[in-house]
Amino acid sequence: DVKVTQSSRYLVKRTGEKVFLECVQDMDHENMFWYRQDPGLGLRLIYFSYDVKMKEKGDIPEGYSVSREKKERFSLILESASTNQTSMYLCASSLSKNYGYTFGSGTRLTVV
Amino acid sequence: QKEVEQNSGPLSVPEGAIASLNCTYSDRGSQSFFWYRQYSGKSPELIMFIYSNGDKEDGRFTAQLNKASQYVSLLIRDSQPSDSATYLCAAYMDTGRRALTFGSGTRLQVQP
């Protein structure tokens, strides 16, 4: 089974902190994604990557950046955390662009 | 207008009944469609995908796609209390942002 591992299950950070959310997949997938999930809003795409050192903006990239230095690792960075970034963050990977995604277990981030 | 629309529910069905979950999408360029199940506090897991018009069956699940009507559905036969979850519909287009667009999900409750 494909494993997508997110480094933290729960995080509490202070406003203004720089926050790193790490995601690692073990199946040599080219494609990796970051979504956030909020009640009533569903999953919203933040950033995605189809190759190492490549990134594309999703629907809500403001306040976020990403890094993909190695194929298996895709990091989401909150440059200066704000309370409206309190959310569940989900990382996913896929074999091909139109294949189904495998999600990590999620990181519930609270910014206080 | 949201690109992928689902009724938020809850949809309540008795144990053993057929649960019918519906999804509409706005972009005719959408090519592939996915159904995910998400238990409370967990991440989404892929249960079905469909690319062609018609029905696709897998065990108790049947996905139905009608591209002319821009409509996707998921039928769950012999519903069990363990099927109680939120079901997310997702669509993929090979143009534009080239990543899955998710609906907000339909909450299904199967009453014992």
Side-chain angles (χ1 to χ4, degrees):
Chain A
D1 281 352
V2 177
K3 275 256 171 61
V4 179
T5 302
Q6 294 185 232
S7 54
S8 303
R9 188 75 179 94
Y10 298 95
L11 272 181
V12 180
K13 296 292 182 180
R14 295 193 181 278
T15 301
E17 276 193 76
K18 191 168 186 175
V19 181
F20 294 85
L21 303 183
E22 306 288 345
C23 176
V24 178
Q25 50 94 5
D26 66 358
M27 282 298 290
D28 203 34
H29 283 178
E30 299 285 343
N31 313 298
M32 297 188 75
F33 309 85
W34 276 105
Y35 287 84
R36 64 177 281 180
Q37 186 174 29
D38 302 286
L41 297 177
L43 275 77
R44 293 180 290 166
L45 182 65
I46 306 171
Y47 268 97
F48 59 105
S49 169
Y50 287 141
D51 201 353
V52 176
K53 296 193 187 292
M54 172 270 177
K55 60 186 178 184
E56 287 195 37
K57 293 179 180 179
D59 297 323
I60 52 165
E62 296 78 20
Y64 303 95
S65 62
V66 290
S67 171
R68 194 163 182 203
E69 296 295 320
K70 293 185 177 181
K71 191 175 186 179
E72 67 270 18
R73 186 180 297 269
F74 192 36
S75 302
L76 180 70
I77 304 155
L78 285 66
E79 298 292 343
S80 176
S82 64
T83 54
N84 63 13
Q85 292 178 310
T86 292
S87 186
M88 170 67 84
Y89 289 87
L90 291 163
C91 175
S93 74
S94 73
L95 180 63
S96 177
K97 293 174 189 176
N98 66 342
Y99 267 46
Y101 298 172
T102 299
F103 284 90
S105 55
T107 296
R108 184 164 294 282
L109 172 68
T110 302
V111 182
V112 297
Chain B
Q1 181 188 6
K2 292 185 78 173
E3 295 178 16
V4 178
E5 297 257 17
Q6 296 181 256
N7 189 319
S8 61
L11 172 66
S12 186
V13 300
E15 185 173 354
I18 296 175
S20 178
L21 302 156
N22 304 314
C23 171
T24 58
Y25 59 95
S26 59
D27 194 317
R28 287 193 173 274
S30 300
Q31 299 174 320
S32 315
F33 302 88
F34 303 84
W35 282 99
Y36 286 80
R37 178 175 61 200
Q38 186 174 25
Y39 292 114
S40 180
K42 302 292 187 182
S43 58
E45 58 176 324
L46 180 66
I47 54 172
M48 290 285 290
F49 60 90
I50 187 165
Y51 299 145
S52 304
N53 275 330
D55 294 1
K56 179 181 178 183
E57 189 174 315
D58 184 1
R60 294 187 297 113
F61 299 99
T62 299
Q64 300 174 318
L65 173 59
N66 184 326
K67 288 189 176 180
S69 300
Q70 295 176 242
Y71 179 93
V72 191
S73 64
L74 178 70
L75 302 178
I76 306 174
R77 288 181 299 282
D78 189 23
S79 296
Q80 300 298 310
S82 59
D83 294 325
S84 297
T86 296
Y87 289 80
L88 303 172
C89 173
Y92 174 82
M93 290 179 296
D94 202 26
T95 57
R97 70 172 184 175
R98 295 174 295 134
L100 291 186
T101 299
F102 285 84
S104 299
T106 297
R107 189 156 64 94
L108 173 67
Q109 294 177 339
V110 181
Q111 307 294 338

